[in-house]
Amino acid sequence: MFHTEAYSESRENNYELVISQLGALLEGEADQIANFSNASALLNQFLDRINWVGFYINRGEELVLGPFQGLPACVRIPFTRGVCGKAASTRETVRVENVHEFPGHIACDAASQSEIVIPIVKDGELLGVLDIDSPELNRFDELDQQYLEQFVQKLIAHL
């Protein structure tokens, strides 16, 4: 349905296109698992230089693995551990240039070098987090953060 060749403009235009594609994919569907599944598949196809993209779902005081693209992953993450736990507990995006320098980092995939985690908060309730890993150091910058947060906002509108 979507081809990478369509992404040839500026990074900003490419992100706007993928956010628009997400809206089209989710139109008329409210099921969280279905929407998380399509969102992770879309980001996996869109983003280059990543090795894992997916969702962890809030289950009380821990995050539980949800739909994702990549190698098998850690199933449960307490709010007190790792990049995902920090994003969940603070409800703020966490961008890490080098995961090996992040205290309490959980290494699900030894190849991961950098990470960005965006919390998914709707009506004051933490639903989960979007987690993206890269095998490159410093893969994610301010522009990625800005547009991935917009991507999550578009997703939240359909949950």
Side-chain angles (χ1 to χ4, degrees):
M1 183 169 168
F2 304 110
H3 300 288
T4 0
E5 296 80 38
Y7 306 117
S8 59
E9 301 291 325
S10 69
R11 286 176 62 209
E12 293 90 341
N13 288 347
N14 288 342
Y15 267 116
E16 288 169 9
L17 177 60
V18 80
I19 290 166
S20 172
Q21 290 173 336
L22 178 68
L25 268 176
L26 304 184
E27 190 62 41
E29 183 54 63
D31 185 84
Q32 179 175 307
I33 298 299
N35 288 341
F36 282 177
S37 297
N38 271 333
S40 63
L42 181 62
L43 282 177
N44 188 57
Q45 187 252 340
F46 166 69
L47 293 170
D48 60 352
R49 305 176 349 261
I50 66 165
N51 58 326
W52 201 92
V53 56
F55 296 91
Y56 280 91
I57 299 166
N58 181 14
R59 294 287 185 252
E61 289 302 307
E62 67 180 356
L63 298 166
V64 176
L65 182 65
F68 70 94
Q69 302 276 312
L71 293 176
C74 308
V75 175
R76 295 180 183 275
I77 300 175
F79 283 10
T80 56
R81 293 206 47 225
V83 183
C84 289
K86 181 172 182 182
S89 63
T90 63
R91 296 183 180 201
E92 293 179 359
T93 297
V94 180
R95 196 174 72 234
V96 180
E97 295 177 3
N98 182 346
V99 295
H100 304 291
E101 295 175 354
F102 187 89
H105 174 253
I106 303 168
C108 294
D109 182 347
S112 294
Q113 299 291 317
S114 61
E115 184 171 5
I116 187 168
V117 180
I118 298 100
I120 304 165
V121 180
K122 180 172 184 171
D123 300 328
E125 179 187 351
L126 177 74
L127 301 179
V129 299
L130 167 60
D131 180 20
I132 308 172
D133 294 356
S134 172
E136 293 181 11
L137 291 172
N138 201 21
R139 161 64 181 85
F140 307 102
D141 62 16
E142 293 82 8
L143 185 81
D144 293 305
Q145 179 174 337
Q146 173 189 341
Y147 280 100
L148 289 168
E149 287 172 347
Q150 289 180 31
F151 184 92
V152 165
Q153 288 306 311
K154 176 70 79 172
L155 177 61
I156 288 169
H158 292 274
L159 297 177

